[in-house]
Amino acid sequence: MIVAVDGPAGAGKSSVSRLVAARLQARYLDSGAMYRCVALASLEDPDHTPAELAASIQIELGSRVRIDGRDVSAAIRRAEVSARASEVATDPDVRAALVAQQRELLATGDWVAEGRDIGTVVAPHADLKIFLTGSPAERARRRGEPVNERDVRDRTRVHSPLQAAPDATVIDTTDLSLEQVVERVVELAATANGGSQDA
Ligand code: DC
């Protein structure tokens, strides 16, 4: 089964998605890490466009994130990479290249995939769509950095803006613990999967 987890920065997508994936014995796709890889590559190589880089670099996801074999797990989490990721994500050619890779991954096996456009664009046929939200203050606190500028850009861009799919279940995580959110998503997954907790 495919569980799509979308929402703004700091809503808890990564922590929730990793734990839900473990509970469902599914794989975890961090689509934001792919945009971060293109952002890092473009900061390091201004001579090529983000779209050219998205088409040429080899991104490896897993316990470590690698670009062409180089471990960039820490580098892609830097604040300037966060900001640049949100910028390169407005480019339709970058999105097309990464969405194609994401769909290829999701074509086989069970997945919990997190991002901004998983339920709307990457996997509109996902078995379960979750949209996590949270108050701006709480999300900024979790991130340790302001998220407003990125939020506005992610929500207002022309191509695949951040929005909840009409059939997504919206969960406001502001006053919930991580465990409570995970429990709720696992329950919804069991229902979506016909009452069994097996993925
Ligand atoms: O989830 P994250 O913070 O790692 O994402 C970094 C940026 O990448 C985010 O500001 C917007 C972009 N992004 C996107 O446009 N679509 C996705 N599916 C995932 C991330």
Side-chain angles (χ1 to χ4, degrees):
M1 87 181 295
I2 293 182
V3 178
V5 181
D6 292 300
K13 295 188 301 292
S14 299
S15 313
V16 169
S17 300
R18 279 176 206 280
L19 289 167
V20 169
R23 288 277 295 273
L24 300 179
Q25 293 182 309
R27 293 165 76 193
Y28 162 63
L29 174 62
D30 178 1
S31 66
M34 301 175 86
Y35 289 91
R36 287 170 180 274
C37 283
V38 174
L40 177 65
S42 105
L43 287 169
E44 291 178 345
D45 180 358
D47 295 337
H48 290 94
T49 65
E52 285 168 345
L53 293 165
S56 63
I57 60 174
Q58 283 290 329
I59 299 172
E60 210 182 303
L61 302 177
S63 56
R64 311 299 297 176
V65 177
R66 293 191 163 81
I67 298 176
D68 297 330
R70 167 183 152 220
D71 190 331
V72 294
S73 313
I76 60 165
R77 300 294 158 194
R78 296 201 309 254
E80 83 248 37
V81 178
S82 305
R84 185 77 183 125
S86 172
E87 283 168 14
V88 302
T90 62
D91 181 332
D93 295 330
V94 168
R95 302 203 69 82
L98 298 186
V99 167
Q101 294 178 32
Q102 291 155 16
R103 286 189 179 146
E104 209 169 298
L105 288 168
L106 298 181
T108 45
D110 298 313
W111 290 89
V112 177
E114 70 149 287
R116 303 292 188 290
D117 61 341
I118 305 296
T120 50
V121 175
V122 177
H125 305 298
D127 304 276
L128 175 65
K129 299 179 188 179
I130 302 292
F131 193 86
L132 296 184
T133 62
S135 73
E138 176 60 15
R139 293 190 293 104
R141 190 190 66 76
R142 291 176 189 162
R143 270 296 161 114
E145 66 186 47
V147 290
N148 270 355
E149 195 183 324
R150 209 141 70 87
D151 271 3
V152 171
R153 198 183 300 117
D154 292 347
R155 284 184 204 278
T156 58
R157 67 180 177 225
V158 174
H159 301 281
S160 312
L162 168 66
Q163 58 185 4
D167 52 346
T169 301
V170 179
I171 303 177
D172 184 335
T173 67
T174 308
D175 297 318
L176 297 177
S177 68
L178 176 58
E179 292 70 28
Q180 286 174 315
V181 181
V182 169
E183 213 47 56
R184 175 103 180 89
V185 177
V186 168
E187 273 169 30
L188 288 165
T191 310
N193 204 29
S196 135
Q197 288 215 359
D198 295 336

